[in-house]
Amino acid sequence: MNDLDIVILAAGIGKRMNSNTPKVLHKIGNKHMLQYVIETALNLNPRSINIVYGFCGELLKSVINGAFPNNNFNWHVQELQLGTGHALKCTLNGLQNKGKTLILYGDVPLIGSDILQSMINIYNNNVIILVSKIDNPDGYGRIIRDTKNNVLKIVEDKDLDYDQKFIQEINTGFYIFPNEFIHTNINQLTNNNKQSEYYLTDLVGLAYNYLEIKALENGNTLKLLGVNDKEQLEKIERIYQSEIAIKLLKTGLSIIDRNRLDIRGDVTFGKDCLIDINCILEGSVELGCNVTIEANCILRNVRIGNNVVIKAFSYIEDSCIDNECVIGPFARMRSDVHISNNSRIGNFVEIKKSTINQNTKINHLSYIGDAQVGENVNIGAGVITCNYDGKNKNKTVIEDGSFIGSGSMIVAPVTIGENSLIGAGSVITLNTPSNELTLSRSKQVTIKGWKKRKK
Ligand code: UD1
Ligand code: CA
């Protein structure tokens, strides 16, 4: 029978973050910390997930409901943040009388469901706490043991006596209690401590006389770190990034330097892909086979086919690049761009909301927006589709086989007919016929007898 309730504490202000955003909405790998904790909770298949919210509560609720549209969480408001024990008290009506409750903190994002499952596995109507020994225990609650080495209580960092400060066994902030014990004892918590808060950790001391307290030790301290300030946030970001990089390397992605790659979403890749230094891959990034991403590229929601090179310093968003293409260096694709097979987009080319068909070249210094560009088109240096008339965005169609001379302005809406040749420097405002040379260019004049002015 599934008798597991989960409580996630996420109401705290996070004073030490010095931020207007609630702490648990700060991000690791571009995902809110609380999202990781909820995903982990869902993996355990509990009968209920109870989230305590408070500071910026409506924002928090809407962000999380948006991220998990198919789940029903029990939301419990904690109007005043009077401590973790008080936060648990706010969830009582979501916890049945029978069964067990696993309590998680929303600011410990890297905990995996495997560690929590091992806590559940040893539960036997007792109290389970997850502990760890760390070199620098400052800030954490410490595990105090009796003379028989049984767990006696947890003392918060601020409330420690001088010699307790040296205890390296810490409370990681994960517990299982029998629901019955919570219901009967939660009202006994007091706020008689340095922070005048109702500590959840005091429930452990209260259990000492009634229940077995089992401390499960976990050596993987990196997964158990909490985030209370920006320094810890950065530390956990780096741990997270290093874990992802290792996973990608182990599954066959070549990464030049694991410390100079940031993954902020999901990446899939085929054989023989390589990522050079200082790249950021965000959202959903799909790489086919034999894709090289050179240094300093940013890819956000991008699908790339096979045998593609993205040269250095390219910035590509919400776009799709087919096979055998070479993009960059310094190329920018700014959403809704589709580049077909064997095309070449060169340096300082910006493309937006456009389709570029196969074997087409746009090699230097161009802006292509709201355009449909055919196959085998050659767009010269400095060509601009003038898509905006101050009010509307207008469409440019450049049909197959056309050649657009350098420095041309294509004023949309306009269609360049198949196999057109547009003379360099033209301003094209009317549709051009297929298979013809069109140019609009003022006549070149030479002023005879001109003399250089004397200074
Ligand atoms: C807590 C533990 C400490 C442990 C550490 C592990 C307590 C009293 N202390 O300390 O023993 O070593 O975590 O990381 O529990 N929250 C609420 N409402 C409140 C206060 C906090 O929902 O009124 C939430 C916070 O949003 C946060 C979590 O509870 O997600 C933990 O609170 P925090 O203030 O960060 O506790 P720590 O000082 O880290
Ligand atoms: Ca904390």
Side-chain angles (χ1 to χ4, degrees), residues 245-424:
I246 289 169
K247 221 183 265 171
L248 294 173
L249 284 162
K250 291 269 187 210
T251 47
L253 180 67
S254 296
I255 297 172
I256 297 295
D257 181 353
R258 68 178 76 177
N259 297 315
R260 285 185 288 171
L261 168 67
D262 282 78
I263 307 290
R264 301 175 186 164
D266 300 311
V267 177
T268 62
F269 57 92
K271 288 192 169 132
D272 300 308
C273 289
L274 179 140
I275 303 185
D276 208 330
I277 58 168
N278 292 338
C279 290
I280 300 176
L281 275 50
E282 215 172 286
S284 157
V285 174
E286 293 175 34
L287 312 180
C289 291
N290 197 27
V291 174
T292 298
I293 316 284
E294 291 187 358
N296 301 301
C297 289
I298 299 179
L299 308 184
R300 180 176 297 127
N301 299 318
V302 176
R303 190 147 53 83
I304 297 178
N306 302 323
N307 308 317
V308 170
V309 181
I310 310 290
K311 295 199 162 192
F313 294 97
S314 293
Y315 188 116
I316 304 176
E317 269 181 288
D318 300 312
S319 294
C320 173
I321 295 160
D322 292 345
N323 306 317
E324 331 282 339
C325 291
V326 181
I327 310 293
F330 298 98
R332 178 170 185 213
M333 288 175 204
R334 195 165 49 90
S335 84
D336 281 331
V337 174
H338 183 181
I339 313 281
S340 295
N341 294 345
N342 209 26
S343 287
R344 171 82 176 88
I345 309 298
N347 40 215
F348 305 106
V349 172
E350 176 181 352
I351 307 183
K352 185 215 86 174
K353 210 173 175 192
S354 295
T355 308
I356 313 295
N357 262 309
Q358 53 189 346
N359 301 320
T360 284
K361 293 189 176 74
I362 311 173
N363 269 334
H364 332 266
L365 299 153
S366 286
Y367 172 63
I368 305 295
D370 302 290
Q372 191 186 316
V373 179
E375 308 178 4
N376 298 306
V377 170
N378 193 322
I379 295 189
V383 169
I384 290 175
T385 54
C386 309
N387 59 329
Y388 187 50
D389 56 16
K391 201 168 166 207
N392 298 309
K393 297 277 165 67
N394 299 306
K395 191 165 180 184
T396 300
V397 177
I398 299 176
E399 290 182 351
D400 296 349
S402 298
F403 185 105
I404 316 291
S406 294
S408 294
M409 304 289 125
I410 315 292
V411 183
V414 73
T415 296
I416 309 289
E418 215 174 311
N419 299 318
S420 285
L421 174 59
I422 305 296

Side-chain angles (χ1 to χ4, degrees), residues 9 11-12 16 23 78 81 83-84 105-107 140-141 156 171 228:
L9 303 190
R16 292 163 277 185
K23 176 166 69 177
Q78 185 193 23
Q81 282 73 60
T84 48
Y105 289 168
D107 64 352
Y140 288 96
E156 285 309 291
N171 168 33
N228 296 315

Side-chain angles (χ1 to χ4, degrees), residues 34-193:
L34 183 55
Q35 267 178 273
Y36 292 94
V37 180
I38 292 174
E39 281 170 9
T40 302
L42 285 168
N43 282 339
L44 297 168
N45 274 320
R47 67 181 170 192
S48 75
I49 294 184
N50 299 270
I51 305 175
V52 187
Y53 70 108
F55 178 67
C56 290
E58 289 314 310
L59 168 74
L60 187 121
K61 240 169 115 169
S62 73
V63 167
I64 294 302
N65 282 330
F68 297 91
N70 302 321
N71 288 282
N72 267 333
F73 304 122
N74 297 336
W75 289 95
H76 304 275
V77 68
Q78 185 193 23
E79 300 284 359
L80 291 175
Q81 282 73 60
L82 302 179
T84 48
H86 178 257
L88 176 64
K89 193 173 161 183
C90 296
T91 68
L92 287 185
N93 66 13
L95 309 181
Q96 298 186 21
N97 288 324
K98 296 270 173 278
K100 56 184 177 283
T101 295
L102 169 67
I103 302 169
L104 314 173
Y105 289 168
D107 64 352
V108 187
L110 298 189
I111 185 88
S113 43
D114 46 344
I115 298 179
L116 299 176
Q117 188 61 53
S118 59
M119 290 173 73
I120 294 168
N121 292 346
I122 59 168
Y123 175 82
N124 184 19
N125 287 312
N126 46 4
V127 175
I128 313 287
I129 59 176
L130 188 68
V131 303
S132 192
K133 288 202 178 101
I134 61 175
D135 290 339
N136 178 9
D138 284 354
Y140 288 96
R142 307 294 208 286
I143 307 301
I144 311 293
R145 292 182 179 260
D146 66 11
T147 45
K148 290 187 188 138
N149 208 32
N150 292 320
V151 174
L152 176 65
K153 60 180 175 179
I154 298 172
V155 176
E156 285 309 291
D157 187 67
K158 291 205 171 79
D159 300 295
L160 292 168
D161 295 339
Y162 179 75
D163 36 342
Q164 290 172 327
K165 289 242 176 228
F166 299 100
I167 297 174
Q168 288 181 316
E169 192 179 20
I170 61 141
N171 168 33
T172 66
F174 299 92
Y175 326 77
I176 303 178
F177 291 101
N179 286 11
E180 223 169 328
F181 175 80
I182 295 174
H183 282 291
T184 30
N185 288 281
I186 191 94
N187 284 321
Q188 293 197 46
L189 295 179
T190 66
N191 64 353
N192 199 359
N193 52 54

